[in-house]
Each structure stands twice: as C-alpha cells, then as structure tokens.
Amino acid sequence: MKKLILIVLLTQNYCFSQFKNYTISENKVVCEKMYSDISTLEIIEDYRISSSMTLTKADGLTSFLVGKVAKIPDYITQYLKKRKLKFTANYEAKNALIFASNKSSLPKLIFKRSFYNQVNKIATNAMELTLIPEMVQDEKFLVFKVGKLSFEYSKAKIKTKAPRINLLVEITAYYSKAKDNSTLEKTESKSSAIIIPVDLSVKDQITSNISNKLSDVFIADGISEISVKVTEINPYKLKLEELESFITDNNEDLSGLFSELSKLLK
C-alpha cells in the first residue's frame, strides 16, 4: 500500500519589512535597507480663502510533521498574522501652530517621511503630502483636501504584481484654552481617514483624481496643534485576511484531515 505523504512548507521571508523601503524600478521590486526613518509635519499659515465643496520541496521534514501535523492550521494562522504585518505600515507627525487659526488664517499642512539608507547613511525622501485647507458650508467649517502627493517608497511590503498601496490619512486637530492660570484644557477633533490610492509602478502620481477627497469638517477657530497619521495598506493583505478567515472557519475540519494524514506518516 502506498503511503500518502503531505509536506507543507511555508516559505520564510527574512526581509523585515519595518526596516525596509520598497519601490518599483524597471518592473522589479527594489528593497532599500534603512536604519531609521523620520516623519515631519510643517504647518504654514495660508491666507487663501475659497468655498468648495506555495509549495516547495523540503527534505527531512517528514519526521518533524509526525505528531505535529494536526496543528498545522494554527501554524498557518500565526504565519498569516505575521505576514499581514509586512503588508501594512504607519507613521505620524505632530506640530503646533505659531499663529491664531481662524477662517482668514488657515493651516496648510506639509507631511513628509524620509529614511536613512543603511549603506550610505544618506537621507532619502520617501513621500510628501500637501493638504490644502478650505472653508465650506458658508465658511462655517474647515476641511482639508489633497493638494500634492509625491510617493517614492513604501514602508509596507509590495510585490511586482501588487505595486499598489492605499494611503489612509487621518488628521487630528487639537484645541487649547486656559482653564485657569496653571491649567491648560485640551480637546481634540479627529477626521475619518482620507483614502488615497497610489501605484509605485507609475512614476508620477496623478492628484487630479484625488484632489476632490475631503477630510471631515473642523472648527477653524482656536486650533493649537495638528497631527497627521498615515497608514499604508497593500491590498494584497486582503487576500491574506480571506485565507486566514477560511483557515479559522474550517479549523476543525482541517485538523481532522491533517490528523488522519499524520497516521499515514507513521
């Protein structure tokens, strides 16, 4: 009687994505090592006002799988959770206003991320995003829209066939007022994320398609600080989530299947 041998090997990737930056060059993924990165937020007083609206061969695994193969669904789930982290990344920066914000003095935001190459220690610009302030609803509220975007390197892992990244931009405005001579009272207002799709296989990002994306509204008067958080998500991560969901939903069935297979390996 022939024995059925099932060998499952999850290919390891030793490229730690949080210490790498990715781009596309000549239809290939280029991975730049870094030893640190920095995000900055510049706030400029803007007087402009306008209304707007796999399986691989592996020798010597048979003995390891005997007795452990029933736990493979757990191994796969743990692997997928680590794998998903490589396809996401986030970074943020915060700064204070040096002027009094109101509907005639609006904060224009320039968010930048750069990283220091591990080889030559030179700073490389990874992304720059300009957010333009606009007054809306009869100049009662302030919103931000995408003015300019330069996206050269992704901190989230990309693949040659999956070079697209969704940028989720979250803006938080902080309001401060003196409660008494020794106490400062702060409140905050946070916008839901502006979603900006980018493609690293395209040299110049076209912002005309995303310039109509607006943040949630803020009160223009009395903003003391602003923070911007950017989360990168490779849509490939969604495929991993679907696979993880399948493994979780069918965990008992798969455990039973692998348990029977492990008996054949003995």
Side-chain angles (χ1 to χ4, degrees), residues 69-258:
V69 72
K71 295 184 179 181
I72 284 180
D74 293 333
Y75 296 154
I76 295 176
T77 300
Q78 292 172 11
Y79 170 80
L80 288 174
K81 288 180 179 179
K82 293 179 180 179
R83 180 82 167 158
K84 286 194 302 181
L85 293 176
K86 295 182 178 182
F87 289 91
T88 63
N90 60 71
Y91 37 90
E92 60 185 307
K94 183 179 180 181
N95 207 346
L97 277 68
I98 60 173
F99 58 91
S101 71
N102 52 58
K103 65 180 182 180
S104 63
S105 295
L106 305 177
K108 177 181 176 181
L109 311 179
I110 302 177
F111 182 90
K112 298 179 182 179
R113 185 179 79 85
S114 58
F115 65 91
Y116 290 89
N117 191 290
Q118 199 174 68
V119 177
N120 54 29
K121 313 299 183 184
I122 296 176
T124 301
N125 294 326
M127 70 92 73
E128 180 175 335
L129 172 66
T130 301
L131 295 167
I132 305 295
E134 298 284 356
M135 297 300 295
V136 295
Q137 299 181 17
D138 296 328
E139 299 190 355
K140 292 180 180 179
F141 298 103
L142 164 68
V143 299
F144 293 94
K145 70 176 184 179
V146 179
K148 179 183 177 183
L149 173 64
S150 172
F151 191 74
E152 303 295 334
Y153 287 89
S154 169
K155 198 173 181 181
K157 184 176 177 64
I158 60 174
K159 297 168 70 71
T160 305
K161 295 183 179 180
R164 295 177 176 82
I165 293 288
N166 286 334
L167 300 179
L168 279 60
V169 181
E170 300 173 82
I171 305 168
T172 303
Y174 300 85
Y175 301 83
S176 302
K177 64 178 181 179
K179 191 174 182 180
D180 52 49
N181 292 333
S182 60
T183 305
L184 188 66
E185 187 176 65
K186 285 189 175 183
T187 58
E188 64 181 65
S189 178
K190 183 176 181 179
S191 170
S192 55
I194 304 173
I195 302 176
I196 307 174
V198 294
D199 188 340
L200 280 164
S201 65
V202 178
K203 184 65 177 176
D204 297 315
Q205 303 299 327
I206 301 174
T207 56
S208 58
N209 295 330
I210 56 178
S211 61
N212 60 345
K213 291 180 176 289
L214 303 177
S215 71
D216 292 342
V217 297
F218 297 94
I219 296 173
D221 293 349
I223 299 175
S224 58
E225 300 167 281
I226 295 178
S227 70
V228 174
K229 178 181 178 180
V230 175
T231 301
E232 298 177 353
I233 298 181
N234 189 322
Y236 180 79
K237 171 179 175 286
L238 300 179
K239 296 180 181 179
L240 296 176
E241 287 179 337
E242 291 172 2
L243 179 57
E244 183 182 21
S245 177
F246 172 80
I247 293 293
T248 302
D249 293 344
N250 298 277
N251 190 66
E252 292 185 3
D253 293 339
L254 288 171
S255 293
L257 170 63
F258 288 129

Side-chain angles (χ1 to χ4, degrees), residues 22-86:
Y22 302 88
T23 190
I24 299 288
S25 178
E26 298 180 352
N27 297 320
K28 294 181 180 179
V29 174
V30 177
C31 189
E32 293 280 352
K33 294 182 179 180
M34 69 174 184
Y35 68 89
S36 67
D37 67 346
I38 184 171
S39 300
T40 62
L41 178 63
E42 182 180 2
I43 302 177
I44 301 173
E45 188 172 7
D46 191 341
Y47 293 99
R48 184 181 59 83
I49 302 174
S50 61
S51 298
S52 63
M53 143 36 193
T54 68
L55 293 177
T56 60
K57 182 178 179 180
D59 298 327
L61 281 181
T62 303
S63 60
F64 174 76
L65 288 174
V66 174
K68 295 181 179 293
V69 72
K71 295 184 179 181
I72 284 180
D74 293 333
Y75 296 154
I76 295 176
T77 300
Q78 292 172 11
Y79 170 80
L80 288 174
K81 288 180 179 179
K82 293 179 180 179
R83 180 82 167 158
K84 286 194 302 181
L85 293 176
K86 295 182 178 182

